[in-house]
Amino acid sequence: MCFTAQMAACFQGARASSDSQTAGMENRTEVTEFLLLGLTDDPHLQLPLFITFLLIYTITVLGNLGMILLILLDARLHTPMYFFLGNLSLVDFGYSSTITPTVMAGLLTGNKAISYNACAAQMFFFVAFATVENYLLASMAYDRYAAVSKPLHYTTTMTTGACAWMVIGSYICGFVNASTQVRDTFSLSFCDNNVVHHFFCDVPAVMVLSCSDRHVSELVLVYVSSFNVSFALFIIFMSYAFISVSILRMRSGTGHQKALSTCASHLTTVSIFYGTVIFMYLQPSSSHSMDMDKISSVFYTMAIPMLNPVVYSLRNKKVKNAFTKTVLKAK
C-alpha cells in the first residue's frame, strides 16, 4: 500500500523502463504469472530474514487472535472501544497473513513466481484490509471523543447499532476500494515484462508493468487513496482537537490523567500507522527508491500488525486484567 507521493514516485521510477517496451508490442505475449524480486538476492540473508519474519508473524498471530479471544471471553470488555479493537485485531491478522506467509515461502524455497490470479487475490485482500484499518482507526478516534468530551451521553451516542454500522461501513469502504483498485490494475494489458520490483503484489508496483495506457488507472489510484487517508486523518484530527479542548477544561488532575490514559493506546496506534504514511509523503520524489519503498512496506505490512496488540496489552489495565483472569481460569 503506497500513498500519494510514494505512488507517484513508484510510477515515475518505473515508467521509463515500462514505456520502452511498448514499442515492441507487435510480438507481445500476455503475462500468466509474475516474478516477485523480494527483499534481497543475497543468499546469506535469506535464512536470517526468514527467521525474523517467522518470529514477527508468530507474535502477530498470537497477539491478534489472543486479543480477539480475550474480548469474546471477558464480559468486561464488551464495550464499544473493545468492539472496535477486536475488529482491528482481525484486520491486522488478515492483512499480515495476506503478505507474510508468501514472503517467508519465497525466502525458504527461492521460488519467486506468483500466478496472475494469486497476485490479484493478494492485492485485493491487502488493499481491502489496509483500507478497513484506516477507517477503523478513524471510528476509534470518534469513540474516544465521545468517551472524553461527552461522557454523560456516551451510552446513547455509541450504541450497539451505531458501532455496528461504523464497522460495517469500514469493511464496505475497504472492499469497494479493493475492488476498484484491482479492477483498474488487471484490466490493463501485461506483456513480456512480469518482474515486480517488490516482495508482494502492491498496486503501483504491478501497474507500472502494463504495456497499455495506464494514465486513468494511475489517477484513480492516487485520488482514491489520497481521499481515504485524508478523510480518516481529518476525523482523527478533529476528534483529538475536541478531546484536547475537553481536557484543558477539566479542573482536576485525576480527570486529566484518566482522559489521557483513555486515549493513550489509540493515539500510539495512530502514530505508528500514519507515521509511516507521513514519513513517505514528506520525502521529495527525487529521494524515493525501490529499496526505501520495500523497507517502508515491511514496516506497515509486518511490524504494525505485530505492534498493535502489544500496545493495547501494555498500556491497558483492562486487557491485562482480562488476560490474568483467563490464565487463572485455565489453570
Side-chain angles (χ1 to χ4, degrees):
M1 181 182 64
C2 296
F3 294 101
T4 314
Q6 183 184 9
M7 291 185 293
C10 291
F11 292 141
Q12 292 170 2
R15 181 175 283 128
S17 60
S18 176
D19 288 348
S20 65
Q21 296 175 359
T22 307
M25 288 174 56
E26 291 80 3
N27 297 319
R28 68 186 186 185
T29 303
E30 285 294 321
V31 167
T32 58
E33 67 176 13
F34 295 97
L35 295 178
L36 301 172
L37 283 187
L39 290 166
T40 180
D41 290 327
D42 189 343
H44 298 95
L45 293 177
Q46 304 291 320
L47 184 59
L49 283 175
F50 173 80
I51 295 173
T52 301
F53 293 152
L54 177 61
L55 179 62
I56 291 174
Y57 186 61
T58 301
I59 296 173
T60 300
V61 172
L62 293 177
N64 285 291
L65 294 186
M67 182 68 73
I68 294 171
L69 188 62
L70 280 179
I71 293 170
L72 290 174
L73 293 178
D74 197 310
R76 293 173 298 179
L77 301 182
H78 293 174
T79 63
M81 174 182 174
Y82 296 101
F83 175 66
F84 289 121
L85 179 56
N87 280 278
L88 183 68
S89 295
L90 178 63
V91 168
D92 280 336
F93 168 74
Y95 86 76
S96 176
S97 298
T98 301
I99 306 298
T100 312
T102 304
V103 176
M104 291 192 300
L107 290 170
L108 194 63
T109 65
N111 182 14
K112 299 180 179 181
I114 182 171
S115 70
Y116 186 93
N117 291 334
C119 183
Q122 185 186 61
M123 181 186 295
F124 176 85
F125 286 110
F126 176 72
V127 173
F129 286 129
T131 307
V132 173
E133 174 148 350
N134 177 63
Y135 283 108
L136 278 178
L137 290 175
S139 300
M140 293 171 77
Y142 180 80
D143 173 67
R144 294 301 83 205
Y145 154 73
V148 174
S149 300
K150 297 183 178 181
L152 297 178
H153 302 283
Y154 181 72
T155 54
T156 56
T157 302
M158 301 303 295
T159 61
T160 301
C163 294
W165 276 114
M166 290 169 78
V167 170
I168 291 170
S170 298
Y171 281 98
I172 290 174
C173 289
F175 284 93
V176 168
N177 183 42
S179 299
T180 302
Q181 303 298 357
V182 172
R183 181 199 63 202
D184 283 350
T185 302
F186 286 91
S187 63
L188 300 171
S189 297
F190 296 93
C191 306
D192 295 329
N193 186 12
N194 68 336
V195 179
V196 180
H197 291 266
H198 217 312
F199 59 86
F200 72 101
C201 289
D202 199 5
V203 180
V206 174
M207 192 178 288
V208 294
L209 301 179
S210 172
C211 53
S212 57
D213 184 9
R214 58 181 181 273
H215 179 68
V216 174
S217 296
E218 290 178 357
L219 288 179
V220 170
L221 173 61
V222 171
Y223 287 134
V224 171
S225 299
S226 298
F227 172 79
N228 287 330
V229 174
S230 300
F231 183 71
L233 280 175
F234 175 75
I235 294 175
I236 292 169
F237 175 80
M238 293 304 297
S239 297
Y240 277 102
F242 284 116
I243 288 172
S244 299
V245 172
S246 299
I247 291 176
L248 291 174
R249 289 177 178 175
M250 293 178 182
R251 297 181 179 181
S252 66
T254 305
H256 285 122
Q257 186 176 2
K258 184 178 180 180
L260 291 172
S261 63
T262 299
C263 302
S265 297
H266 177 258
L267 196 54
T268 302
T269 302
V270 166
S271 300
I272 294 172
F273 184 80
Y274 290 104
T276 307
V277 178
I278 294 172
F279 170 75
M280 295 303 299
Y281 178 79
L282 290 178
Q283 287 190 92
S285 298
S286 58
S287 68
H288 277 278
S289 67
M290 285 295 178
D291 290 336
M292 180 60 70
D293 183 30
K294 290 178 184 179
I295 293 171
S296 175
S297 298
V298 167
F299 189 76
Y300 61 68
T301 58
M302 301 182 194
I304 289 178
M306 176 191 69
L307 291 173
N308 283 345
V310 174
V311 168
Y312 275 95
S313 298
L314 294 177
R315 303 184 67 100
N316 193 299
K317 289 182 179 179
K318 285 187 177 181
V319 172
K320 288 189 284 187
N321 290 339
F323 177 75
T324 303
K325 180 181 175 181
T326 303
V327 171
L328 289 176
K329 276 188 176 182
K331 290 182 178 180

